[in-house]
Amino acid sequence: MVPAFILGQANPDFSILTDKAFQKLYQNPEECISYSQSLLMSDKNIEHKVILRNIISQAYALQGNYIQSVSISNQKEDNDKKEGLSSFIQLFDDYNLADQYQNLGLYGQSKKIITDILKDPELLKSRNTKERMVFAKLFQLQAINSGITRNYDIALLNLDKSDGCLTGTNDENRIIKWENIIFRSSFLLRQNKLEESKILLDGVIEEIEKHGNNAFVSAFAYESLSRYFFLKEDYTSAVKNLDKGFSEIEKLPYNDLKIIFYDLYSRNYLALNNDEKYYYYNNLYTDLKAKLDSNKKEGIQYVVKLLETYHKKSIEFERQNKLRQFKITVVMSLILIAAAVAYFFNESGRSKDLKKQIDFFEKLKKKKESVLAHANMPKEKIEKEIKTPDRDPSKISKEKEEEILLKLEEWELSDNYLNKNMSLAILSAQTGINTKYLSEVINNNKGKNFNGYINELRINHIAHLLKTDAAYLNYKVSYLAEYSGFSSHGAFTNVFKSITGMSPHTYIQEIIKNKKS
């Protein structure tokens, strides 16, 4: 989740007030909400109200209160007439919707909205300072969406474009630039460019500390630096940097960031064989994750209802607003999955034999070769390579099936299947494909039902990590189970053995034996 930022206004009084609200967003979200709400109550300007609601919405999102975030962001006054709003506010509203989807983990929907906005070359030529700031935020959001699908080169390119839109010297411009540097370093880490990443982090931390009183972004930077030391297997230094970052937000309600710290603490203490602290932080992580996941799912349901209501009230204005026509499709797609959001997956065990071990390792090898082969392949060529088996012509068309398979292939790169609450409905929300089509395509092309499909992705993922990252060989099976998204140690072991033909313990021992030989 990335906080949205305040856009500069022509009115100096409003600019000063919102600049103060913007600073509070990074200092204490509760103070930001209180201060911004007082401004919202006294300001009668519609455009000002839209911007103030966005500040408050972001403060709630930073707290992990996604329901309130969606609610305040979508509040409308009786005189909020679409035909009376400036093109800037229409652009800002679209950006806000893309940001809301990203906060809720609906990265595919967020990416689609931003792509539709930024494909207008005339719009991008604007030299309007306010609109340029929106573009900077849109490119940053799109960089995050690309990072989720591991398309790091595109992510870095979007960060370059975001930086290119930042021309001011105020706090807003400065902090967006800091965040872009931190995101850039994160993408470099994932490309194994560790030292290049560390140089960026050391520099930005020095800049942040020089200006002071930016608790959130300071913690964000130290959290990223801890990942560098984790990858270097210097777990003591990783913990020290986590301590520095967490001290900035420990007494502040930045729950959306705290959960990341709890997860990193538990991983490092597990690697250090400190069971007491591992269990302490793992329990904090598990409890907070359950709370935030529940709130996020309710937020998804809530945004569907809000957008449906909004669509019914404003349909007569949609004909006059080409920039926003894509929202109709988004709304209708989400309505189809609203009733199914509450379903959860159940793991099932299968028979196992020696042949599965051979087949499993062969599949891993082919998967790795496929990923490498597709890494730089044009999208059109990938689409041509997708083959579908013979099927009943009365069902889904070949073209639609190939489109869904391509979306599934992109989604598999996001690691969203590790979410313990993953369901067919959530997959539908994340890909924009209705549940009926998803179920049919998975059954026809993956050779298994939805649960089997998700479980195989999870096992393949953890098996790959065990082979490529030595740190995971030291983890307890219970942690591997939880990390992979399984509800219990037993369920993980059963599924692992059914897919690989061996237990997790045996698999780990085989890897260790091969490394020694």
Side-chain angles (χ1 to χ4, degrees):
M1 194 286 307
V2 183
F5 303 101
I6 316 315
L7 308 173
Q9 300 295 307
N11 186 324
D13 293 332
F14 182 70
S15 177
I16 292 171
L17 293 173
T18 52
D19 187 59
K20 185 175 181 180
F22 166 74
Q23 293 173 16
K24 288 180 179 294
L25 186 63
Y26 287 88
Q27 296 166 359
N28 188 325
E30 289 183 342
E31 290 183 7
C32 175
I33 292 169
S34 177
Y35 177 78
S36 301
Q37 283 180 333
S38 67
L39 297 180
L40 185 63
M41 293 175 63
S42 59
D43 200 320
K44 303 300 181 184
N45 185 296
I46 293 177
E47 293 191 2
H48 293 181
K49 285 180 175 290
V50 171
I51 294 172
L52 288 168
R53 289 192 195 106
N54 179 262
I55 303 171
I56 298 170
S57 172
Q58 290 305 314
Y60 277 122
L62 288 171
Q63 291 180 312
N65 191 340
Y66 306 108
I67 298 175
Q68 279 294 98
S69 177
V70 171
S71 176
I72 189 69
S73 179
N74 288 276
Q75 284 181 8
K76 305 292 179 184
E77 308 295 333
D78 291 339
N79 59 344
D80 280 14
K81 299 298 184 182
K82 285 292 168 191
E83 70 271 27
L85 295 182
S86 67
S87 59
F88 162 70
I89 287 300
Q90 293 175 22
L91 173 63
F92 187 78
D93 269 348
D94 292 329
Y95 149 71
N96 185 52
L97 181 60
D99 193 38
Q100 288 290 332
Y101 282 141
Q102 192 176 94
N103 289 343
L104 294 170
L106 302 176
Y107 303 107
Q109 299 289 3
S110 175
K111 182 178 180 180
K112 181 181 184 302
I113 292 172
I114 297 171
T115 300
D116 286 343
I117 296 172
L118 298 179
K119 71 182 179 183
D120 184 350
E122 293 303 315
L123 184 65
L124 292 175
K125 291 179 182 178
S126 171
R127 307 314 302 171
N128 181 286
T129 303
K130 298 182 295 183
E131 292 181 352
R132 298 295 294 174
M133 184 62 74
V134 180
F135 296 151
K137 291 304 304 165
L138 286 168
F139 281 121
Q140 188 189 72
L141 289 178
Q142 199 71 318
I144 297 168
N145 290 329
S146 296
I148 290 294
T149 56
R150 303 180 191 174
N151 199 337
Y152 302 124
D153 289 336
I154 298 299
L156 292 170
L157 180 62
N158 278 308
L159 289 179
D160 289 339
K161 292 179 180 179
S162 177
D163 287 336
C165 295
L166 298 170
T167 56
T169 58
N170 60 6
D171 282 339
E172 181 179 8
N173 279 265
R174 183 164 47 248
I175 291 181
I176 295 176
K177 287 179 180 178
W178 287 344
E179 285 202 320
N180 283 350
I181 292 172
I182 298 170
F183 282 123
R184 185 182 301 277
S185 70
S186 176
F187 298 144
L188 290 173
L189 281 178
R190 296 174 194 177
Q191 292 177 307
N192 205 32
K193 299 178 181 179
L194 305 188
E195 302 311 319
E196 189 177 343
S197 172
K198 187 175 186 297
I199 291 172
L200 291 177
L201 288 171
D202 288 341
V204 76
I205 287 174
E206 183 179 350
E207 281 293 311
I208 294 169
E209 291 181 341
K210 187 185 301 181
H211 286 84
N213 202 16
N214 290 286
F216 179 88
V217 72
S218 179
F220 182 26
Y222 278 115
E223 172 256 309
S224 296
L225 186 57
S226 77
R227 293 179 185 271
Y228 162 82
F229 287 107
F230 182 85
L231 292 173
K232 298 283 286 187
E233 299 185 19
D234 184 353
Y235 307 117
T236 301
S237 296
V239 169
K240 287 181 180 178
N241 281 280
L242 286 174
D243 288 341
K244 289 179 182 178
F246 193 70
S247 66
E248 297 279 351
I249 61 171
E250 185 173 8
K251 296 181 180 179
L252 299 172
Y254 287 113
N255 292 328
D256 203 53
L257 184 57
K258 281 184 176 180
I259 190 172
I260 298 174
F261 273 87
Y262 293 152
D263 184 35
L264 292 176
Y265 268 126
S266 64
R267 293 192 194 188
N268 279 282
Y269 280 122
L270 187 63
L272 289 168
N273 295 314
N274 189 329
D275 288 349
E276 181 180 354
K277 289 192 174 181
Y278 160 70
Y279 285 116
Y280 172 73
Y281 284 108
N282 189 56
N283 287 336
L284 289 176
Y285 168 77
T286 302
D287 292 344
L288 184 56
K289 188 175 188 300
K291 177 182 177 182
L292 296 186
D293 281 353
S294 175
N295 198 283
K296 187 170 290 186
K297 283 187 289 185
E298 290 185 46
I300 292 173
Q301 293 175 309
Y302 193 27
V303 76
V304 170
K305 294 177 182 178
L306 286 172
L307 289 174
E308 181 183 12
T309 302
Y310 169 76
H311 170 63
K312 289 178 180 178
K313 288 183 177 180
S314 62
I315 193 170
E316 65 272 20
F317 302 119
E318 291 293 334
R319 293 190 301 270
Q320 304 171 17
N321 191 350
K322 293 182 179 180
L323 185 61
R324 314 185 79 178
Q325 286 183 350
F326 63 88
K327 284 187 178 179
I328 298 175
T329 302
V330 173
V331 172
M332 297 309 295
S333 296
L334 287 172
I335 292 172
L336 293 174
I337 56 102
V341 171
Y343 289 108
F344 299 95
F345 69 83
N346 291 306
E347 299 85 351
S348 60
R350 294 186 178 182
S351 60
K352 47 278 183 192
D353 53 40
L354 185 59
K355 185 177 180 299
K356 287 186 177 179
Q357 298 180 23
I358 301 171
D359 292 342
F360 177 73
F361 286 112
E362 187 64 27
K363 283 181 182 178
L364 281 184
K365 181 180 177 181
K366 289 181 179 178
K367 180 68 175 179
K368 182 178 180 181
E369 292 172 350
S370 175
V371 170
L372 291 174
H374 284 68
N376 298 311
M377 186 180 294
K379 183 175 180 181
E380 293 78 10
K381 190 172 181 180
I382 296 174
E383 290 173 338
K384 289 180 180 179
E385 286 196 353
I386 298 176
K387 304 297 181 181
T388 55
D390 296 335
R391 63 196 165 283
D392 185 346
S394 66
K395 295 187 177 181
I396 185 172
S397 69
K398 178 180 179 181
E399 291 75 17
K400 184 66 177 177
E401 189 163 6
E402 290 179 350
E403 177 188 339
I404 293 173
L405 284 170
L406 182 62
K407 286 187 176 182
L408 282 176
E409 185 175 295
E410 293 175 349
W411 176 82
E412 287 173 10
L413 297 175
S414 70
D415 296 348
N416 282 334
Y417 49 79
L418 298 179
N419 186 335
K420 185 179 294 186
N421 296 321
M422 179 54 60
S423 66
L424 185 62
I426 292 177
L427 175 58
S428 174
Q430 292 176 346
T431 58
I433 307 165
N434 72 54
T435 54
K436 180 181 177 182
Y437 283 179
L438 270 177
S439 181
E440 182 179 336
V441 170
I442 289 172
N443 286 332
N444 289 344
N445 294 273
K446 304 299 181 180
K448 52 185 68 67
N449 61 18
F450 172 77
N451 287 338
Y453 168 59
I454 295 299
N455 284 342
E456 184 170 40
L457 288 175
R458 290 169 170 169
I459 297 303
N460 287 342
H461 181 84
I462 200 64
H464 175 72
L465 286 177
L466 287 167
K467 287 192 69 176
T468 57
D469 189 339
Y472 285 86
L473 297 174
N474 299 319
Y475 293 171
K476 292 181 172 60
V477 173
S478 58
Y479 174 79
L480 297 177
E482 183 176 337
Y483 177 83
S484 306
F486 286 89
S487 58
S488 69
H489 176 293
F492 171 70
T493 299
N494 289 337
V495 177
F496 193 100
K497 195 168 184 180
S498 73
I499 292 175
T500 68
M502 66 188 89
S503 69
H505 177 74
T506 303
Y507 182 82
I508 291 170
Q509 293 306 310
E510 285 294 319
I511 293 175
I512 294 174
K513 186 191 303 180
N514 290 335
K515 286 181 179 291
K516 290 179 179 179
S517 60

